């Protein structure tokens, strides 16, 4: 699973146009942060990171942008922990997530082999969400 290629603002703007979203400076910044980071941020993480660079950015703008981006299919909402939404770029290759119960960091992982064919006969799969929980290597060695 390779997600290391950075997406330019012009490419993200093109993706937003194709998804029917009017690109604004703030929306592009929100999408760029999600698409180009591997941190699986919350809305608050995004706001705290971007607010110093965009003084007119409000938490409401971040939430509205995330809602529009999720509705369009450009980002995915991950609710690994009850009541806490994290965001992931939906156009990365399909993958699962590992969350460390010690430090809380979320890691991308390949989907376990054969899982994409696990649906019952006659069922149609729209998405697969796999959340694996445990202790990450950093916490395990400390």
């Amino acid at each position: 699973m390779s997600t290391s290629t950075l997406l330019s603002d012009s490419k993200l703007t093109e993706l937003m146009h194709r998804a029917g979203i009017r690109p604004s400076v703030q929306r592009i910044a929100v999408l760029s942060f999600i698409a180009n980071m591997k941190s699986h941020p919350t809305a608050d993480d995004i706001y705290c990171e971007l607010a110093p660079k965009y003084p007119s950015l409000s938490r409401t703008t971040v939430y509205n942008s995330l809602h529009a981006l999720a509705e369009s299919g450009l980002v995915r909402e991950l609710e690994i922990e009850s009541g806490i939404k994290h965001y992931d770029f939906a156009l990365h290759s399909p993958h699962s997530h590992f969350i460390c119960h010690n430090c809380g960091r979320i890691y991308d992982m390949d989907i376990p082999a054969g899982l994409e064919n696990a649906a019952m006969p006659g069922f149609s799969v729209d998405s697969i969400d796999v959340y694996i929980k445990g202790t990450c290597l950093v916490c395990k060695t400390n």
Side-chain angles (χ1 to χ4, degrees):
M1 183 189 71
S2 175
T3 58
S4 60
T5 304
L6 293 180
L7 294 169
S8 68
D9 286 354
S10 61
K11 178 64 177 173
L12 295 172
T13 300
E14 177 187 326
L15 290 171
M16 291 173 79
H17 276 298
R18 280 194 277 167
I21 296 177
R22 183 185 59 79
S24 66
V25 171
Q26 287 113 340
R27 283 182 177 172
I28 294 167
V30 168
L31 184 57
S32 179
F33 187 77
I34 295 167
N36 292 315
M37 303 297 286
K38 292 186 176 186
S39 62
H40 304 87
T42 63
D44 196 50
D45 295 335
I46 295 166
Y47 173 76
C48 290
E49 180 68 27
L50 296 179
K53 298 172 192 154
Y54 301 92
S56 64
L57 184 70
S58 68
R59 289 182 194 277
T60 301
T61 300
V62 171
Y63 280 102
N64 289 341
S65 296
L66 289 169
H67 179 73
L69 293 167
E71 286 288 313
S72 73
L74 291 175
V75 300
R76 292 185 61 222
E77 292 180 342
L78 307 173
E79 193 170 343
I80 298 170
E81 302 166 279
S82 181
I84 301 173
K85 291 183 182 175
H86 293 266
Y87 294 88
D88 199 7
F89 187 55
L91 303 181
H92 285 316
S93 59
H95 57 278
S96 62
H97 296 95
F98 178 95
I99 184 166
C100 178
H101 58 71
N102 190 42
C103 68
R105 183 163 178 204
I106 301 169
Y107 297 85
D108 288 342
M109 297 180 62
D110 290 328
I111 292 178
L115 190 61
E116 65 278 359
N117 298 318
M120 294 173 48
F123 283 63
S124 175
V125 177
D126 294 325
S127 67
I128 298 173
D129 294 314
V130 177
Y131 304 124
I132 302 167
K133 298 177 182 181
T135 304
C136 72
L137 290 175
V138 174
C139 290
K140 200 170 183 176
T141 58
N142 287 336

